[in-house]
Amino acid sequence: MKTHSPAFEQAIRSHDDLLKRRDLAIWVGAEPTFTDRRAETPEWLNNALGPSKENRARQMLAEAVHLTPGSAVLRTVGRQYPKEDLPRWSLGLYRRRDGQPIWPGPADPLLELAPLPLPENAMEDFWEQLAQHLGARGWTVLLFTVECYPTLRMAFRRDGLPVLANPERDPRLARPSLHGQPIPGRGLRDDLAEQGLFLLGMGWPGPEQGLGAIAAPCVELPACGEVALFLELLASIGAAATAAQLPGLILCGYPPPVDATVAWTTLTPDPAVVEVNMAPAPDVTDFLRETRLSFATAANAGLSPYRLNYNGQITDSGGGGQLTLGGPTANSSPFLTAPRLLPALISYFNRHPALSFYFTTDCVGNSSQAPRPDERTAEIVEELALALTLLDRQRNPTPEQLWQSLSPFLADAGGNTHRTEINIEKLWNPYLPGRGQAGLVEFRAFRMPPTPERLAALAALLRAIAALLIQKPQPPRLMHWGRELHDRFALPYYLRADLWEVLDELARAGLGLGQPIISELLDESYYQVGAVEFGGCQLTVRRGLEFWPLLGDALAQEHGHSRLVDASTTRLEVSLRDQPDASLTLSDWRLTVNGYWLPLRQEHEIDGETRLYGLRYRRFKPWAGLHPNLEAQGAIELVLSHPDQPGALQVTLHEWKPQGGGYDGLPTDQADAAARRAERFVVEPLSVAPDAPPLEPPPGSLTPYSFDLRWL
C-alpha cells in the first residue's frame, strides 16, 4: 500500500482554507466498513450478526479509547431491521471536540470476558453515592427497586419539583431494559424524560440483556435532550462509581444527545462488515485524522477495508463507504440554508455519471444499493425534471418542500428511499422518528476505499462540488442518457474523462482540489487488469462496470439484507495507445477477440489518440440466473497485429489458473493476489500473424461501445 507525502495533507489543508475564506460550513461524515478478509463464515460474507463480530468491534473501540483518553464508551441500542427480533448492538465513543475529558469514572471493561470482582455492597454504595452527587447539583432524587433488570433504580428531576413517582402506580418506572427488547414502531422514545422525569437503572446484566459477553456493573441511561444535561449526568455517575470503588462500569441505554461541541462515533454490525458511523467533521483535515484512526483500529482488530478473491481480484469490504454532508446543526445544514443546493446537486450528478459510477461498488445499477433516479423509468426522469423546475420557481423553498418534492424520486425501483444514490431520508423527513430531520444528505454510490487518504479525497471532492453549487447554483437541466448511460459510462475511459470535466469546472471556479488529491481520485489500480507493449503500441485491459439484473421480485426481497442478482456477466475495456517512439499508425492496428473483429472507437486526448471498445461475456454459469442454456465463456483470447509489424501478440485472459482448476485458498496478502492476477493475464508473442480474415460479430452483439460475446 502506497505511503502519502506531506503534500497530500497540505493539499487538504489548502482546500479547507478555500472554503473557510468563503465562509462555507460544510461538515462531512462517513460510514467506512471493515471485514475479516480471511474468513468465509456467514457473518463475514453476508450476515449482519455472528459469533465473533462484536468482539472485533470491542477490540476496535478499546484501541480508540486508548488513543482518545477521557472519552466515554456508550453501549446504546442499535438499529432494528424488518424480520429482526431485536435491535443490533451498538458500541460508541462519546467525546468533546475541544479535547477536554468527558468521563471521570472507571473504564468500560471492553475486553474482559470474566465477571469483575466487586467490593462487598459496592452496587448499593454506588446507588446511594450517585443519589448524593445528583442531589448536590440541586436535582431531586427518589431511590427504589423493581423486580426486573436493572433492579436498582432512581428517578430524578432537575427542575426543582419533587419526584412524585410510584413504580406500583406508574408502570413506566418498572419498564424492562431497552436492551433485549424490540424497538417500538414509533421509534425509541422516553416518555418519562419528555415529562422532565429521568430514570436511571443499575444492575449486573445477564446475556438476555443483549450487552455482549462481558459481565460487569451497568448503568442504563435515560434519554437526555440536551448535551449539557448529559455531560453533568456522566460527571455524576463517574464520580459516584469512583467513590464506590467500582473496577469497571458499562454505560448503556438511550443514544446520547449530539451537537457541534461533542462527537459520537459508533461501531455497528452490518452484513459482512463492522460499520463505523463516524462523527461528522467540520473540514477534511479533521475528517482525515478521524478516518486514519478508524483504519488503524480496524487493522489492529484484524479487519480490512477490502477483500481478496480466490483469483486475486480485489473488491471492497462489501459494506460500501458512504459519505454524508450536512452542517454543525440541522438548521445550519447547507442544504437548508442554501435551498438551491440540493436541486442543483441532483442535476449535477445526473449530468456527470462519473460521480455515480467511477467510485462505485461491483454491484451497480438499478438493482444495486445506490441506483440513480434515471435508472428507473423514462417517466420518472420526466417527472423529476418537472419537480426540479417547479422548485426552481420557488423563491425560497422550505425544508418541507425540498423533502416532499424530491424524496419520491430518490428511491430504488421498489420505492425504498434508503437504497438510492443520493439519500435524503435524514434531511427533513417527518416519518423517521428521532433522526429524520437532521439536515443530512448521504451519498451511497461509493465502494469502501482501501486507504483513509482515498476516503478523504472523496470527501474533499463532494465538499468542493457543494461549495460550487452553493455559490453558483446551476439551472435544473437533466440529461436523458437512455441506453448510453449503461453503455458508454460502463467503461473507465469515459468515466475518467467525465470526472476531469468536473475537476476542471472546480478549478475554473477557484475550488481546484490540488494535484495530490486529484492523483488520489484518478488512481486506476481498482480497474487495472493488465497492459503490454508490442511494436510501439500499448494494449491495456481494464475492468468495466456491469449492471447486474435483479432476479425475482424487488418488493419480495425488500426486507432481506441483500438481493439476488445475476452476477455472471462481466465487462472489460480494451484500449490501444501509441508509445512515444511509435512509428506505426494507430488506426492500422487490428485487434480480434476469439477470432472476431473488434470495432475500436477513436477518441482524442491532449496527449494523443486512443482506440478502445468494451467487451462483455459470461464468466461463469450461475446456479440461478438468466439464460440457463448459456455456458461460461472463458478464456478470452485477444490478438493484436499490424500489416507492417512482423508477427503478432496474443493475450489470453483467464478467470482461474491458466493451466486449469482453481486456487487452493484465498490470497495471503496483496502481493499474492497481484501474482494471481498477473498469472491470469497471459502474453504470448506469435511469430506469424493470423492470415485468416477476422469474423464479423453477429447481429445484436454490438452496441456503440461494447461487443457482447454472449450473442456468439
Side-chain angles (χ1 to χ4, degrees):
M1 189 173 294
K2 67 181 182 180
T3 58
H4 288 81
S5 68
F8 180 82
E9 297 178 9
Q10 181 56 52
I12 292 294
R13 288 193 296 269
S14 296
H15 200 266
D16 284 341
D17 290 340
L18 276 177
L19 270 63
K20 289 177 183 176
R21 289 197 297 269
R22 299 182 184 213
D23 197 26
L24 294 173
I26 306 173
W27 287 46
V28 59
E31 297 178 5
T33 57
F34 301 92
T35 190
D36 185 343
R37 65 174 179 81
R38 299 173 181 84
E40 297 184 273
T41 51
E43 64 179 324
W44 299 113
L45 291 179
N46 45 48
N47 286 357
L49 300 173
S52 71
K53 190 173 286 186
E54 185 176 357
N55 185 54
R56 297 293 189 87
R58 289 200 300 268
Q59 292 180 51
M60 291 177 63
L61 195 59
E63 178 73 9
V65 171
H66 175 71
L67 296 174
T68 55
S71 53
V73 173
L74 303 178
R75 301 180 183 227
T76 58
V77 176
R79 297 283 301 276
Q80 182 177 350
Y81 290 83
K83 295 188 177 180
E84 294 182 342
D85 296 331
L86 295 172
R88 299 176 184 176
W89 49 263
S90 175
L91 305 177
L93 193 67
Y94 194 78
R95 60 181 175 82
R96 290 174 62 112
R97 292 188 182 272
D98 60 10
Q100 295 298 311
I102 207 171
W103 173 243
D108 182 301
L110 281 166
L111 300 180
E112 295 288 341
L113 299 180
L116 295 172
L118 283 181
E120 187 177 357
N121 300 320
M123 286 301 294
E124 289 78 6
D125 186 20
F126 169 53
W127 186 39
E128 295 171 356
Q129 286 276 355
L130 180 53
Q132 294 176 22
H133 279 82
L134 295 180
R137 294 183 180 274
W139 301 353
T140 53
V141 181
L142 173 70
L143 300 179
F144 59 95
T145 62
V146 295
E147 296 296 326
C148 64
Y149 168 83
T151 304
L152 304 176
R153 300 200 175 185
M154 67 175 62
F156 71 88
R157 302 187 68 94
R158 60 180 184 131
D159 53 14
L161 297 177
V163 179
L164 303 175
N166 186 336
E168 295 181 357
R169 295 182 180 179
D170 189 344
R172 296 177 300 175
L173 294 170
R175 65 193 181 192
S177 169
L178 280 180
H179 301 272
Q181 302 292 323
I183 296 176
R186 64 174 186 169
L188 280 180
R189 286 183 58 186
D190 187 339
D191 295 339
L192 291 170
E194 291 174 3
Q195 298 173 9
L197 183 64
F198 300 94
L199 180 65
L200 281 168
M202 282 138 280
W204 193 284
E208 66 275 9
Q209 269 70 54
L211 290 172
I214 302 174
C218 182
V219 174
E220 186 159 315
L221 302 168
C224 296
E226 303 170 16
V227 169
L229 165 63
F230 191 71
L231 295 183
E232 288 184 89
L233 183 57
L234 287 183
S236 297
I237 293 172
T242 300
Q245 301 180 19
L246 297 186
L249 186 65
I250 292 174
L251 301 175
C252 64
Y254 283 89
V258 177
D259 62 18
T261 67
V262 295
W264 183 39
T265 294
T266 62
L267 306 179
T268 58
D270 220 31
V273 297
V274 170
E275 179 179 287
V276 181
N277 296 281
M278 289 175 53
D283 55 35
V284 185
T285 300
D286 187 59
F287 178 86
L288 176 59
R289 180 171 56 251
E290 295 302 316
T291 304
R292 284 173 169 167
L293 175 65
S294 294
F295 274 71
T297 59
N300 185 63
L303 301 182
S304 302
Y306 60 86
R307 294 194 71 91
L308 302 175
N309 294 343
Y310 277 89
N311 65 358
Q313 184 64 60
I314 299 178
T315 60
D316 77 343
S317 62
Q322 294 90 348
L323 286 151
T324 301
L325 296 184
T329 65
N331 290 329
S332 62
S333 166
F335 297 101
L336 303 183
T337 60
R340 303 289 180 201
L341 170 58
L342 180 59
L345 187 138
I346 292 171
S347 298
Y348 197 80
F349 269 62
N350 163 266
R351 297 197 299 272
H352 289 290
L355 300 174
S356 308
F357 297 152
Y358 193 73
F359 307 103
T360 194
T361 62
D362 289 340
C363 185
V364 63
N366 194 31
S367 302
S368 73
Q369 294 279 344
R372 288 165 52 102
D374 53 3
E375 289 180 307
R376 292 170 66 182
T377 64
E379 291 79 9
I380 286 290
V381 181
E382 293 168 0
E383 295 296 333
L384 174 58
L386 176 58
L388 292 172
T389 299
L390 294 175
L391 277 174
D392 191 52
R393 294 175 184 172
Q394 296 288 322
R395 175 171 296 181
N396 193 25
T398 65
E400 291 84 359
Q401 288 174 324
L402 285 172
W403 183 82
Q404 292 173 356
S405 298
L406 297 173
S407 60
F409 305 102
L410 303 179
D412 69 358
N416 187 328
T417 56
H418 184 70
R419 296 179 189 253
T420 180
E421 172 194 32
I422 299 175
N423 178 347
I424 64 169
E425 63 180 353
K426 297 178 185 176
L427 178 69
W428 209 256
N429 179 2
Y431 302 108
L432 193 61
R435 55 194 179 91
Q437 296 182 327
L440 300 177
V441 173
E442 183 182 55
F443 299 84
R444 294 175 48 81
F446 294 103
R447 60 183 172 271
M448 178 59 193
T451 66
E453 290 76 19
R454 181 74 52 79
L455 189 56
L458 291 169
L461 174 64
L462 286 181
R463 290 182 84 229
I465 292 172
L468 170 72
L469 299 177
I470 288 172
Q471 298 196 336
K472 186 183 177 183
Q474 301 183 1
R477 178 175 55 85
L478 295 184
M479 290 286 293
H480 291 252
W481 292 104
R483 186 68 184 87
E484 187 178 7
L485 181 65
H486 287 180
D487 193 19
R488 173 183 171 190
F489 293 106
L491 304 182
Y493 174 89
Y494 297 103
L495 292 175
R496 185 185 179 97
D498 183 51
L499 183 58
W500 264 118
E501 290 186 15
V502 174
L503 297 172
D504 287 343
E505 184 172 6
L506 293 175
R508 292 193 301 271
L511 291 164
L513 291 175
Q515 193 56 48
I517 303 175
I518 292 174
S519 296
E520 188 65 51
L521 293 171
L522 294 177
D523 184 339
E524 288 197 341
S525 55
Y526 178 82
Y527 292 107
Q528 196 71 14
V529 174
V532 63
E533 188 269 337
F534 176 65
C537 177
Q538 178 169 292
L539 167 65
T540 301
V541 181
R542 295 182 180 89
R543 299 169 62 186
L545 302 181
E546 192 53 56
F547 303 89
W548 297 329
L550 180 73
L551 298 176
D553 180 11
L555 292 177
Q557 302 180 44
E558 185 62 40
H559 297 305
H561 298 316
S562 60
R563 294 175 175 180
L564 182 61
V565 296
D566 184 341
S568 64
T569 302
T570 194
R571 189 181 321 232
L572 301 174
E573 175 194 275
V574 184
S575 64
L576 302 180
R577 288 209 63 170
D578 280 333
Q579 296 293 84
D581 56 350
S583 60
L584 301 176
T585 305
L586 187 63
S587 60
D588 290 335
W589 284 95
R590 183 174 72 176
L591 187 62
T592 63
V593 53
N594 292 2
Y596 286 85
W597 168 68
L598 198 62
L600 301 175
R601 294 180 61 92
Q602 181 182 14
E603 299 292 347
H604 292 282
E605 298 182 271
I606 296 176
D607 56 348
E609 180 185 346
T610 297
R611 301 267 173 159
L612 75 151
Y613 208 60
L615 191 63
R616 302 178 70 197
Y617 61 95
R618 171 166 270 191
R619 60 191 178 102
F620 67 90
K621 186 173 182 178
W623 66 270
L626 305 180
H627 320 305
N629 297 324
L630 182 63
E631 300 298 323
Q633 295 178 297
I636 303 300
E637 187 179 278
L638 302 170
V639 176
L640 178 65
S641 62
H642 193 285
D644 298 328
Q645 171 70 32
L649 185 74
Q650 179 175 292
V651 176
T652 307
L653 309 175
H654 296 268
E655 289 294 323
W656 299 99
K657 287 184 176 181
Q659 61 269 33
Y663 292 94
D664 295 333
L666 293 170
T668 56
D669 53 27
Q670 290 271 17
D672 187 16
R676 295 186 187 187
R677 295 196 302 272
E679 179 186 36
R680 298 188 292 107
F681 187 84
V682 179
V683 177
E684 181 182 358
L686 303 179
S687 58
V688 179
D691 54 2
L695 301 172
E696 288 289 332
S701 64
L702 296 182
T703 69
Y705 294 90
S706 284
F707 176 21
D708 192 343
L709 299 184
R710 297 178 302 166
W711 287 81
L712 299 181

